[in-house]
């Protein structure tokens, strides 16, 4: 088990921050050379609201610095949300980002964050299930299949040091409302793992959103939606973010509009 950093070590790790906007009205601190939010966070938030447009209660598992959690809070002003994060540096950024955005759309009143692992009974006791929506963006790579970054925060975001997509499905499923949706993002090659985990948790895949970074290239990641009730046929959609010339596509412009950014002339 990794020893948590002392306060002075933590402050040193948080010395070089940028302030960036996942939405037009929400800005988050993130480390210049640490883990940073990216398109998978935006697509996860978007996909979640495609399958559950108006959640009353939502939970974000392993929420990192809060990009998905705060995007959902901004997108659904009536929702009450919980976020869980276990990694020290990410949780401190999450805490700061919640405080920084607290006054916007009553985010501070509606969002609660918890430090720990949802598999621990003490962490679960602080939650407020059942949830209409549970989201998660787990690390993509099993141990031994990807190089570890020099930085622990970046490694934890990439490598399944505490479990991967199976752990997110297993822990999220019991927290769902009867008609709730579990929305998880994973490596594009993780479909077999996701379907096996869903079957074990007695859930069914109802939607999949396959994301291609640039036309002509292989898929980068997929976002799946799972429910207790099976769909007749799982809805599937492919999103392409850049065309063959590297220009933003209609899908990418849709994501920007979803996040409140106007299209540039």
């Amino acid at each position: 088990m990794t020893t948590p950093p002392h306060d002075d070590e933590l402050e040193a790790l948080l010395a070089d921050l940028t302030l960036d906007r996942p939405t037009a009205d929400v800005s988050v601190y993130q480390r210049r050379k640490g883990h940073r939010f990216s398109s998978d966070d935006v697509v996860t938030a978007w996909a979640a609201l495609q399958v559950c447009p108006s959640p009353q209660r939502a939970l974000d598992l392993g929420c990192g610095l809060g990009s998905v959690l705060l995007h959902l809070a901004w997108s659904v002003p009536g929702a009450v949300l919980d976020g869980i994060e276990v990694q020290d540096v990410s949780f401190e950024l999450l805490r700061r980002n919640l405080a920084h955005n607290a006054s916007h759309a009553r985010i501070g009143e509606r969002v609660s964050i918890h430090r720990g692992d949802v598999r621990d009974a003490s962490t679960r006791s602080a939650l407020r299930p059942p949830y209409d929506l549970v989201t998660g963006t787990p690390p993509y790579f099993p141990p031994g299949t990807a190089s570890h970054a020099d930085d622990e925060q970046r490694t934890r975001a990439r490598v399944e040091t505490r479990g991967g997509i199976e752990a997110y499905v297993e822990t999220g499923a019991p927290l769902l409302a009867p008609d709730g949706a579990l929305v998880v993002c994973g490596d594009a090659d993780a479909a077999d793992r996701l379907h096996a985990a869903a079957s074990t948790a007695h859930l069914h895949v109802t939607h999949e959103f396959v994301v291609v970074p640039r036309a002509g290239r292989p898929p980068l990641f997929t976002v799946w939606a799972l429910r207790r009730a099976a769909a007749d046929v799982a809805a599937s959609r492919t999103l392409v973010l850049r065309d063959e010339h590297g220009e933003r596509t209609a899908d990418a412009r849709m994501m920007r509009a979803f996040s409140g950014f106007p299209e540039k002339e």
Side-chain angles (χ1 to χ4, degrees):
M1 180 177 294
T2 303
T3 302
H6 297 295
D7 289 346
D8 54 346
E9 295 173 328
L10 186 60
E11 288 304 316
L13 289 169
L14 296 170
D16 188 10
L17 302 180
T18 63
L19 185 62
D20 305 286
R21 294 190 299 168
T23 85
D25 302 308
V26 169
S27 54
V28 296
Y29 293 103
Q30 49 185 356
R31 296 171 64 221
R32 193 180 303 275
K33 295 183 179 180
H35 174 63
R36 300 173 68 82
F37 74 80
S38 61
S39 58
D40 54 355
D41 299 304
V42 178
V43 176
T44 298
W46 173 84
L49 297 185
Q50 300 308 297
V51 301
C52 185
S54 302
Q56 295 300 301
R57 289 192 179 276
L59 167 67
D60 190 32
L61 299 171
C63 59
L65 55 86
S67 47
V68 174
L69 178 69
L70 293 173
H71 204 312
L72 292 173
W74 174 79
S75 299
V76 190
V80 174
L81 305 97
D82 286 311
I84 299 174
E85 175 57 41
V86 70
Q87 204 269 338
D88 298 287
V89 173
S90 293
F91 185 84
E92 176 58 23
L93 288 170
L94 173 64
R95 187 190 65 77
R96 296 184 187 190
N97 290 333
L98 178 56
H100 179 70
N101 294 283
S103 62
H104 180 78
R106 296 175 42 247
I107 283 176
E109 300 173 30
R110 299 185 292 112
V111 177
S112 298
I113 57 174
H114 311 276
R115 186 174 188 165
D117 190 317
V118 73
R119 291 170 290 189
D120 297 336
S122 59
T123 304
R124 287 198 304 271
S125 67
L127 301 180
R128 299 170 287 184
Y131 294 99
D132 307 306
L133 175 65
V134 176
T135 54
T137 52
Y140 287 179
F141 304 112
T145 64
S147 60
H148 284 227
D150 292 337
D151 181 81
E152 182 185 353
Q153 186 204 21
R154 291 176 62 198
T155 295
R156 291 287 190 92
R158 297 178 69 243
V159 181
E160 299 168 4
T161 58
R162 298 181 66 91
I165 202 165
E166 295 89 349
Y168 279 59
V169 173
E170 178 185 358
T171 57
L175 302 172
L176 286 174
D179 59 348
L182 173 60
V183 177
V184 289
C185 176
D187 182 76
D189 294 330
D192 289 345
R193 294 176 59 190
L194 180 283
H195 282 269
S199 177
T200 299
H202 304 291
L203 298 177
H204 303 273
V205 177
T206 60
H207 297 75
E208 66 171 14
F209 303 93
V210 180
V211 179
V212 176
R214 183 165 175 164
R217 295 186 180 177
L220 180 61
F221 61 88
T222 300
V223 179
W224 293 273
L226 294 77
R227 293 185 184 273
R228 290 196 170 94
D232 291 336
V233 178
S236 181
R237 178 172 177 178
T238 298
L239 304 167
V240 180
L241 302 182
R242 298 276 178 174
D243 65 20
E244 61 273 20
H245 305 294
E247 300 296 324
R248 283 197 185 104
T249 63
D251 289 332
R253 293 193 294 272
M254 176 185 66
M255 291 298 161
R256 285 184 58 81
F258 165 69
S259 301
F261 297 113
E263 183 62 26
K264 295 180 179 179
E265 295 293 336

